[in-house]
Amino acid sequence: MAAPSESVSVGSRVSCLTCLGQKIRGEVLAFDYQSKMLTLKCPSSSGRAHLSDVYLVNLALVKDVETLLESTEPPPALTALNVTKLTRRMNTEVGEKMSHAHALSMGVTPEGLQLFQTIQKTWTPIKVSKHLEDDHEKWEAPEINFKCHSKGIKDCKWNEKNIIVMDEVTISPPYRMENCKGSEGNALVHVRKIVEKHFKDLEVQKAAQQSPGLAQPAAQQRDTPLAL
Amino acid sequence: MSAVKFAGGRKPGSRPPLGRVRPISRNSLQSPSLVQEAAYINTRMVHVLTSLVGAKCELTVKSGKVFEGIFRTYGPKVELVLEAAHQQKADISPLGPRVEEILDTIVFNPSDYVMMQYKDVDLNFAAREGFTDGVIVRRVNGEHQDRELEPWQGGETANDDNSSLETDVSNGWDPNEMFRYNEENYGVKSTYDSTLSTYTTQLERDDSEEFQKREARAEQLAREIEATTQYRTHTNLEDDERSEEDKFGAVPRRITTAISSERDKESPGGIHPRGRYVPPNQRSRDGLGRGGLRQNSPKFGRQSMTSASHRGGHRYPEQSGSPILESRPLAGGSRGPPVRSQTSPSPKPQVDALPMATIITGSLPAACSSGSFHTSPPQPGSHVPISAQPVLLSLSASPSVASSGGLQVSSVTTSPRSPSPVIPTEQPRSLGSLESHSSSETDTSGRTQMHSPAQDGQEADVLPEPVMPGDSALEPQGIKTVTPGQSTTTWTLSTTTRGSYQTISDVKKNSLEEFKRFSEEFKLPDEKSSVGATETVEPGVPGDSTSLVTGSNDEVRKGLTGSPSTVSDSTCAEDKSDERGHISSSPEGELEKGEKPECEAEQTKKSTLNPNAKEFVLNPSAKPFVPMQKQVQTPTPSRPQQVSPSVMVPQTAAALCSPQPLAGYPTPIIPLSPVPTGYTMPVPVSQHKPYRPSKGAMTPVRSEHPHAQGAQAILHQVSMAPVSAPPLVSYSPAFMPYSPQHFPNQPSLMAYQHPHQGGAVYPSLMQGGSRVLATTQMAPGQPGLVHAPSSSSPQFPPPDTAPHPQTIYVSPTPVPPPYPPPPLHPPLHPHPGSLHSLAAHPSQAASAHAGQAQHNRPVPSPVQHQPAQGPQPQQALYSTALVSQGPHTQAAGYPPPHPGQPQPIYALHHPQHHSYNSPAALAPNQQVHMQSGLPSMGPQPHAAHTAQVVLMAHPQSSAHSGPPPPPPHQGHLPLSGIPSMPVSSATPFAYMTLQPQRERLSVVSTRLRLP
């Protein structure tokens, strides 16, 4: 790496103690001597293998930096980045957060918010969503190809307190299965299944007496394809 | 790079970095001087932070406060920008912040924050991309690094560069490296020993018998294997240095400048029968031409025309329809050849063409006439068998009347284009006669031989092919097909002219002299044609009085066929040639669908012949054959015509003649015949004479016209004429022969032919736009002069437009008769429109013929003519034509044009024809006339010519309405002659050279020009 710092090289494991007393350990991703910025990669706090927590540490406000393990391997090659994808992600995240904030401001119940997040992040057969978007008639397709999943139902928005899914299904408070309304079709069936599973999981969580991690169910479901 | 992208990072509203962030690690070193951009210089830092864009983050400031937001970007000093950030507070519900608690954008200075945490980030998020080509490529070439560009400081040391490239083996194994690797890892020691002793058992050679036997056996087997065609094929493939495109290109591209051989090929290609590839353009043209013919045919009311008409149409289209490619070829063939001939080749072509053309035309005409006459296929076939003579006879007979002009034209065209080729093809068509012709022709040049073979192989096909060859010779390209037809027509015309004028001997002499002159003067691109042609012509002219006669007959036939040719021309010269060669297969086909089969057979033959035809560029020798065949065939054809004129006419009529043949044809024919005679007489003494003879025949022809043969012939002739501007040259020669041959051999036949010619011409004119064009072409062709003018006009104009044109005109004079018919047709079909149509047709035909060039050329001259006389004459002609059409009202039709009589019409036509005939210019003139009121122009020029022509006509076929024709011719001649002069000068010369008649013609043309 280009970092001139003798003490920090890419790939090394270091431990930093910030001025606030936070101790951070991680693998050096990058170090910029000029700005004294250090990026560290730590295992994900959620424990997922392919994810990780990244820290950008301002060494100017760090009490101590300790190199735990000096790296001998050359730094990994840098890959090209899909900036478009990054930009999209940012806009999506911002949009979701703002949408969530708006919904919250509208007085949507926590259940509703949770359901909304769940629906948003539920793996949805691409066929369904696509059909919903493209052609109503195709919704009548008897079978759903579960092998093809989209990343979730992005076409999900708030309308007052109602959740509008794919412009087809409306879920009104209290957001139960019976509150799902819309033209009969795969979309409605699919949404109902999502709602059903959402509350089932929620009950399971409560039963587990887990701390009020309302967001966790959704987070867990995020990468778990909806079992219909 | 990233610096720029992130430059705006500081600003709250700055957008996230755009574009791809590429690592620049190697080159990027932090540099003190770039403190501000330090963060951006550190590519690894840039990469990491960029890959975190859009991720949720929690930023801790010095105060310990935590802000949660979405990382957007960062600045040069690592200012962090968060979107939709909110401060984590205890009072914020676990569900999330409210809208009012969220800040759109917050920028944190590096001095304010302690750290920023991204939770559950997928560092490979941005690196992951869809399974796209771009991704794959990127992966494959993932290691690619941007190299620093170094200024190029060489240029003089190209060798070094190459060597560096060649010696760059970094991408592969070095042989020594491989050897060493194998030796170390596998214990295999490699060498460069070619015996591969390490891997194989060496052959122990001894002296034992066993070994020797085996060795001998092995060698034998090797020889056997190497002797197989397959082996050779493969070897050739390996050794073939041609590009893959050349070897496997599905569509051989024609080269405009094409070599004769290529032209031949092209011409064949253009010809369907030949089976060669027909460029789409040509096809379309064919289709157009056919369509035009059909239109004509409808007017005529002929049913069977479709097939024949189609064919004819094809040819026409080629000439006119496919102006550029085919038309050019055609035009080029006729025109181009003439031009060339004028320059150098013209002589040869002319010479060859004349003889050849005569022969060919004879055969063609015969075929046409026969075809036209023979509504039924059998007749054509019979004709074919009969051989060239019959064809010639028929041709001569029909030509003499109406077709004479057409034949002449065609012959002219042929000569100009590629005398030899055309002739060959024609000869083939003529059949046996062809062979004989070929023999004579062969003497003149290799063409005849070629033609004869082609003929043998493909009688019908030969005709088209020959034409093509001729075109090829003259103009290699698509024109060939057209040219063939034209050439044939021109030849016939020339022959007819000759024949018409008994003075043929003189004419011949003159023509021979002219030819010689041409040969000497003109440096023909076609080596053979020029020399051989001249020679051949000479022999043919003087010695081959019969041949000439036949030629005239041929011309006549062509005229007859000419109508067919027009049709066939539209289809392509092929059809015409086929028809002719097959004994009017095309004509028949055009005229009568029933005959079509035969025509097709002929065409098929043609297809085979085509190749040969190409080879037989030297057809000129064929001329002798033609006469023979023509004579022989003519009789039959004539009968057929009479027999099934209506049938034939309808078919052909659709193409060219049909209209005329039907009703108006007879009349037109008559006028034509008279006119031709008159024309021939006045204009080129010799030529006119031939024409007249044809005219004399024309009287018969007239009789035939009714039959439709005349019409067909006329049509063919017309087409032929237009098609082959070059033919003009040939025409004159052809005329010479024709008159002699026809008259001597078969007056009756001549008469038949004349009628045909006249009819043909008429039809062409009559038919209307397309037909008109065809007619224009045809007419010129039919008259011989006309055709020559049209096709030759372009070519000829350069050389001796004036003189030759005149001569041509003279020959055309015969043609005029045909023209009158055309006018008639116009009336029938609205000639005014027809004129335009003619113009258009001419354009088409011209295009097809190479007519484009010709047309262009002709157009100018014609335009002039038209202005002067064209309009009036044409109109008159047309009107007359109309009148005449109905009843053959030749007189009526004619009168209107110039003197207000049929003749005038003829004259008009003749003028055009003359222009065409005289040189390629004639054709142009005709075309012009056709196109833009050529009549007006034509008349004037023709006037002079016509006068001459008229004289000629009178002598020959005074009975036929010789008087009427002359008038028109005169009027027209002057006009056409003048206009044609420039264009057709070359052709005329060619004609001149070709035959004495031509000279006369040329003289006449000169005279005409003078006026």
Side-chain angles (χ1 to χ4, degrees):
Chain A
M1 123 180 174
S5 170
E6 306 88 352
S7 61
V8 181
S9 62
V10 174
S12 300
R13 288 192 63 80
V14 300
S15 174
C16 300
L17 182 61
T18 67
C19 62
L20 299 177
Q22 298 163 305
K23 194 164 188 178
I24 305 166
R25 286 185 181 183
E27 175 185 341
V28 175
L29 288 177
F31 172 69
D32 182 45
Y33 180 79
Q34 290 295 326
S35 58
K36 290 187 169 47
M37 289 297 168
L38 178 69
T39 51
L40 299 177
K41 182 177 75 173
C42 305
S44 172
S45 57
S46 63
R48 289 182 214 172
H50 69 285
L51 298 179
S52 57
D53 290 352
V54 177
Y55 292 88
L56 173 66
V57 180
N58 183 358
L59 294 182
L61 299 175
V62 167
K63 293 180 182 177
D64 182 32
V65 176
E66 183 182 0
T67 301
L68 303 177
L69 178 63
E70 193 72 25
S71 169
T72 56
E73 292 290 324
L78 297 178
T79 59
L81 297 178
N82 187 339
V83 176
T84 303
K85 199 173 179 182
L86 292 170
T87 304
R88 198 188 307 127
R89 177 175 70 173
M90 188 198 71
N91 292 334
T92 302
E93 291 288 342
V94 172
E96 287 182 3
K97 183 172 182 179
M98 295 305 290
S99 176
H100 185 83
H102 279 293
L104 201 60
S105 300
M106 291 299 294
V108 175
T109 62
E111 291 78 13
L113 291 174
Q114 287 180 348
L115 178 61
F116 185 87
Q117 285 183 331
T118 300
I119 293 172
Q120 257 194 335
K121 294 171 182 175
T122 297
W123 290 76
T124 303
I126 220 171
K127 212 171 179 181
V128 172
S129 62
K130 201 172 185 181
H131 290 174
L132 291 175
E133 294 173 1
D134 296 341
D135 190 348
H136 290 266
E137 294 179 358
K138 290 182 180 178
W139 296 11
E140 304 301 332
E143 295 181 0
I144 295 175
N145 184 359
F146 288 98
K147 291 180 180 178
C148 299
H149 292 96
S150 67
K151 213 61 198 281
I153 300 174
K154 294 300 178 187
D155 187 9
C156 184
K157 57 193 176 185
W158 287 99
N159 180 14
E160 297 292 328
K161 291 182 180 178
N162 297 333
I163 299 173
I164 309 297
V165 183
M166 295 178 287
D167 291 332
E168 279 298 323
V169 181
T170 301
I171 307 171
S172 52
Y175 313 112
R176 311 302 288 191
M177 258 187 68
E178 54 271 24
N179 301 122
C180 297
K181 296 175 183 176
S183 60
E184 290 298 327
N186 286 349
L188 183 58
V189 173
H190 183 66
V191 171
R192 279 176 176 165
K193 287 179 180 176
I194 292 173
V195 174
E196 182 181 6
K197 184 176 188 303
H198 169 71
F199 286 103
K200 200 179 289 178
D201 293 345
L202 212 59
E203 291 177 1
V204 172
Q205 280 187 349
K206 287 181 180 177
Q209 293 295 322
Q210 288 189 349
S211 58
L214 294 178
Q216 282 194 354
Q220 288 180 354
Q221 290 180 1
R222 185 172 189 171
D223 292 335
T224 305
L226 179 64
L228 295 176
Chain B
M1 51 190 285
S2 57
V4 175
K5 294 175 182 175
F6 294 89
R10 285 185 176 183
K11 296 180 180 179
S14 66
R15 297 183 65 86
L18 297 177
R20 256 177 209 152
V21 178
R22 289 212 167 193
I24 320 173
S25 58
R26 293 187 182 178
N27 294 335
S28 63
L29 297 176
Q30 289 182 349
S31 136
S33 64
L34 299 177
V35 176
Q36 288 185 343
E37 297 183 350
Y40 295 149
I41 290 173
N42 188 328
T43 54
R44 195 158 288 274
M45 181 64 76
V46 168
H47 184 266
V48 171
L49 292 179
T50 302
S51 64
L52 294 172
V53 168
K56 289 180 180 176
C57 62
E58 297 176 3
L59 185 144
T60 305
V61 296
K62 284 192 291 186
S63 64
K65 291 181 182 177
V66 176
F67 291 85
E68 182 178 343
I70 297 156
F71 179 62
R72 175 158 199 162
T73 187
Y74 70 100
K77 292 179 181 177
V78 195
E79 302 94 337
L80 300 178
V81 180
L82 299 186
E83 287 277 320
H86 69 276
Q87 185 180 359
Q88 289 186 344
K89 298 177 184 176
D91 60 344
I92 289 186
S93 72
L95 294 176
R98 292 175 180 277
V99 175
E100 48 275 19
E101 296 171 343
I102 293 175
L103 301 174
D104 288 345
T105 303
I106 301 177
V107 180
F108 296 92
N109 287 325
S111 59
D112 294 335
Y113 62 85
V114 176
M115 69 171 195
M116 183 166 65
Q117 179 185 9
Y118 305 87
K119 287 185 177 179
D120 296 338
V121 170
D122 181 2
L123 288 174
N124 293 324
F125 172 80
R128 279 192 213 146
E129 297 183 8
F131 190 73
T132 62
D133 291 349
V135 175
I136 295 168
V137 170
R138 207 170 299 132
R139 285 173 184 164
V140 172
N141 300 328
E143 295 303 316
H144 176 72
Q145 297 291 335
D146 291 336
R147 282 195 293 181
E148 280 202 8
L149 299 178
E150 298 176 0
W152 171 254
Q153 295 176 349
E156 296 178 357
T157 58
N159 293 335
D160 295 346
D161 296 339
N162 293 336
S163 63
S164 68
L165 288 174
E166 293 174 355
T167 55
D168 183 8
V169 292
S170 61
N171 207 18
W173 281 74
D174 181 81
N176 294 322
E177 190 80 359
M178 286 191 283
F179 290 170
R180 185 170 56 78
Y181 184 88
N182 286 333
E183 189 172 357
E184 290 177 354
N185 293 277
Y186 306 106
V188 177
K189 193 167 186 177
S190 302
T191 66
Y192 285 106
D193 185 1
S194 61
T195 60
L196 298 178
S197 58
T198 307
Y199 303 94
T200 63
T201 300
Q202 294 304 302
L203 185 66
E204 294 180 4
R205 308 181 74 89
D206 55 31
D207 296 340
S208 66
E209 288 185 1
E210 183 65 13
F211 179 84
Q212 289 179 349
K213 277 185 179 179
R214 289 183 178 179
E215 195 173 28
R217 171 63 176 166
E219 289 181 359
Q220 179 184 349
L221 290 174
R223 280 196 302 273
E224 288 178 356
I225 292 170
E226 291 176 355
T228 59
T229 56
Q230 196 173 12
Y231 173 85
R232 290 176 182 171
T233 303
H234 293 309
T235 303
N236 290 337
L237 285 175
E238 291 178 355
D239 298 341
D240 196 342
E241 293 180 354
R242 293 178 301 165
S243 68
E244 288 190 0
E245 180 66 18
D246 293 339
K247 284 189 286 188
F248 305 109
V251 180
R253 298 299 174 191
R254 295 183 179 180
I255 300 171
T256 318
T257 4
I259 305 160
S260 63
S261 65
E262 291 180 356
R263 294 177 180 177
D264 294 348
K265 291 179 181 179
E266 292 177 355
S267 64
I271 299 168
H272 294 287
R274 295 176 185 176
R276 296 211 177 191
Y277 170 77
V278 178
N281 295 337
Q282 292 182 351
R283 294 175 185 171
S284 63
R285 293 174 183 177
D286 293 351
L288 293 173
R290 292 178 181 178
L293 294 174
R294 290 179 182 179
Q295 293 176 351
N296 294 335
S297 65
K299 295 176 179 180
F300 291 92
R302 296 176 184 175
Q303 297 173 345
S304 62
M305 287 306 291
T306 54
S307 64
S309 65
H310 288 291
R311 294 177 183 176
H314 286 289
R315 293 181 181 180
Y316 283 100
E318 290 178 354
Q319 296 174 348
S320 64
S322 60
I324 298 170
L325 296 178
E326 294 178 356
S327 65
R328 287 182 179 179
L330 295 174
S334 62
R335 296 177 181 179
V339 174
R340 294 180 182 177
S341 64
Q342 292 175 352
T343 55
S344 61
S346 63
K348 295 177 181 179
Q350 291 176 348
V351 175
D352 294 346
L354 293 175
M356 298 293 288
T358 55
I359 295 166
I360 296 168
T361 55
S363 64
L364 293 174
C368 295
S369 64
S370 65
S372 62
F373 292 99
H374 301 287
T375 337
S376 64
Q379 293 176 350
S382 64
H383 291 291
V384 176
I386 292 167
S387 75
Q389 291 180 347
V391 176
L392 293 173
L393 292 173
S394 63
L395 291 173
S396 64
S398 62
S400 64
V401 179
S403 68
S404 63
L407 291 174
Q408 293 173 350
V409 175
S410 64
S411 65
V412 174
T413 55
T414 53
S415 64
R417 292 179 182 175
S418 60
S420 63
V422 175
I423 295 167
T425 55
E426 291 176 353
Q427 291 175 348
R429 295 177 181 177
S430 62
L431 300 170
S433 65
L434 290 176
E435 292 179 352
S436 62
H437 291 291
S438 65
S439 64
S440 62
E441 292 178 352
T442 51
D443 296 346
T444 56
S445 63
R447 295 179 182 178
T448 53
Q449 292 176 348
M450 296 297 289
H451 291 291
S452 64
Q455 293 173 349
D456 296 346
Q458 307 168 344
E459 295 174 353
D461 293 346
V462 172
L463 290 173
E465 291 178 355
V467 176
M468 296 299 289
D471 293 345
S472 64
L474 296 174
E475 295 180 355
Q477 296 176 344
I479 297 167
K480 293 176 181 179
T481 55
V482 177
T483 32
Q486 292 177 349
S487 64
T488 55
T489 55
T490 54
W491 290 98
T492 55
L493 291 172
S494 64
T495 55
T496 54
T497 56
R498 294 177 184 177
S500 62
Y501 297 91
Q502 294 177 348
T503 54
I504 295 166
S505 61
D506 297 344
V507 176
K508 290 180 180 178
K509 291 178 181 179
N510 295 338
S511 64
L512 291 173
E513 293 176 355
E514 291 179 353
F515 282 105
K516 291 178 180 178
R517 294 177 186 174
F518 282 97
S519 62
E520 295 175 357
E521 294 177 357
F522 292 94
K523 294 178 180 179
L524 295 176
D526 305 353
E527 353 47 42
K528 317 171 188 177
S529 62
S530 64
V531 178
T534 55
E535 292 177 358
T536 56
V537 173
E538 294 176 358
V541 174
D544 300 347
S545 63
T546 55
S547 65
L548 292 174
V549 173
T550 55
S552 63
N553 292 338
D554 293 347
E555 292 177 353
V556 174
R557 292 177 183 177
K558 288 179 179 178
L560 296 175
T561 54
S563 56
S565 67
T566 53
V567 176
S568 63
D569 290 348
S570 64
T571 53
C572 286
E574 297 175 356
D575 295 345
K576 294 178 179 179
S577 63
D578 294 346
E579 293 174 354
R580 297 175 182 176
H582 293 289
I583 304 169
S584 73
S585 62
S586 63
E588 292 177 355
E590 295 173 353
L591 296 174
E592 298 176 355
K593 292 178 180 180
E595 294 177 356
K596 290 179 180 180
E598 295 177 353
C599 295
E600 292 177 353
E602 292 176 354
Q603 290 177 348
T604 55
K605 293 177 180 179
K606 290 177 180 179
S607 62
T608 56
L609 292 176
N610 289 337
N612 296 335
K614 292 179 177 180
E615 293 177 356
F616 298 100
V617 176
L618 294 178
N619 290 331
S621 62
K623 291 181 178 179
F625 296 90
V626 176
M628 295 299 290
Q629 292 177 351
K630 289 179 180 179
Q631 293 175 350
V632 176
Q633 292 177 349
T634 43
T636 52
S638 64
R639 292 177 182 177
Q641 292 176 349
Q642 295 175 350
V643 174
S644 62
S646 63
V647 176
M648 295 297 288
V649 174
Q651 295 175 348
T652 53
L656 298 172
C657 304
S658 60
Q660 297 175 349
L662 293 179
Y665 292 112
T667 52
I669 294 167
I670 296 167
L672 291 175
S673 64
V675 177
T677 57
Y679 287 89
T680 54
M681 293 300 286
V683 180
V685 178
S686 61
Q687 291 179 348
H688 290 293
K689 291 178 180 179
Y691 290 109
R692 294 177 180 176
S694 63
K695 291 178 180 178
M698 291 187 64
T699 50
V701 174
R702 293 177 182 175
S703 63
E704 290 178 353
H705 279 292
H707 294 292
Q709 289 179 347
Q712 293 177 349
I714 293 167
L715 293 175
H716 291 291
Q717 292 175 347
V718 173
S719 63
M720 294 295 285
V723 173
S724 63
L728 292 176
V729 177
S730 63
Y731 283 111
S732 61
F735 289 111
M736 296 295 287
Y738 286 111
S739 61
Q741 292 178 351
H742 290 291
F743 289 100
N745 291 337
Q746 299 174 347
S748 63
L749 292 177
M750 293 293 288
Y752 287 106
Q753 291 176 348
H754 288 290
H756 290 290
Q757 292 176 347
V761 175
Y762 290 108
S764 62
L765 295 174
M766 297 297 287
Q767 287 173 347
S770 60
R771 290 185 180 178
V772 173
L773 292 178
T775 54
T776 54
Q777 297 173 349
M778 295 295 288
Q782 292 176 347
L785 295 177
V786 174
H787 287 289
S790 63
S791 61
S792 64
S793 61
Q795 298 173 347
F796 291 100
D800 300 345
T801 53
H804 292 287
Q806 292 177 352
T807 55
I808 293 169
Y809 291 110
V810 176
S811 61
T813 48
V815 176
Y819 286 104
L824 293 175
H825 290 289
L828 292 176
H829 301 291
H831 270 283
S834 67
L835 291 176
H836 293 288
S837 64
L838 288 174
H841 291 290
S843 63
Q844 294 176 350
S847 62
H849 299 290
Q852 293 178 343
Q854 293 178 351
H855 286 290
N856 294 339
R857 295 176 182 178
V859 173
S861 65
V863 173
Q864 295 175 350
H865 293 293
Q866 293 176 348
Q869 298 175 346
Q872 297 173 347
Q874 287 180 346
Q875 294 176 349
L877 290 174
Y878 291 133
S879 62
T880 52
L882 292 173
V883 176
S884 63
Q885 285 181 347
H888 288 297
T889 56
Q890 295 175 345
Y894 292 111
H898 291 290
Q901 294 179 350
Q903 293 177 349
I905 295 170
Y906 289 109
L908 291 175
H909 294 290
H910 290 291
Q912 294 176 351
H913 293 292
H914 288 291
S915 62
Y916 288 82
N917 292 337
S918 61
L922 291 176
N925 291 340
Q926 293 176 347
Q927 293 175 349
V928 175
H929 291 293
M930 297 302 290
Q931 293 176 348
S932 63
L934 293 177
S936 65
M937 294 302 290
Q940 294 175 351
H942 291 292
H945 293 287
T946 51
Q948 296 175 350
V949 175
V950 174
L951 294 174
M952 295 297 289
H954 289 288
Q956 292 179 349
S957 64
S958 61
H960 290 291
S961 73
H969 286 290
Q970 292 175 348
H972 292 291
L973 289 175
L975 294 175
S976 64
I978 296 169
S980 65
M981 291 300 288
V983 177
S984 64
S985 62
T987 48
F989 284 105
Y991 292 106
M992 296 297 288
T993 55
L994 291 175
Q995 296 176 349
Q997 293 178 350
R998 292 182 181 176
E999 292 178 352
R1000 295 177 182 178
L1001 292 172
S1002 64
V1003 175
V1004 174
S1005 63
T1006 54
R1007 295 175 183 176
L1008 292 172
R1009 291 177 182 176
L1010 294 175

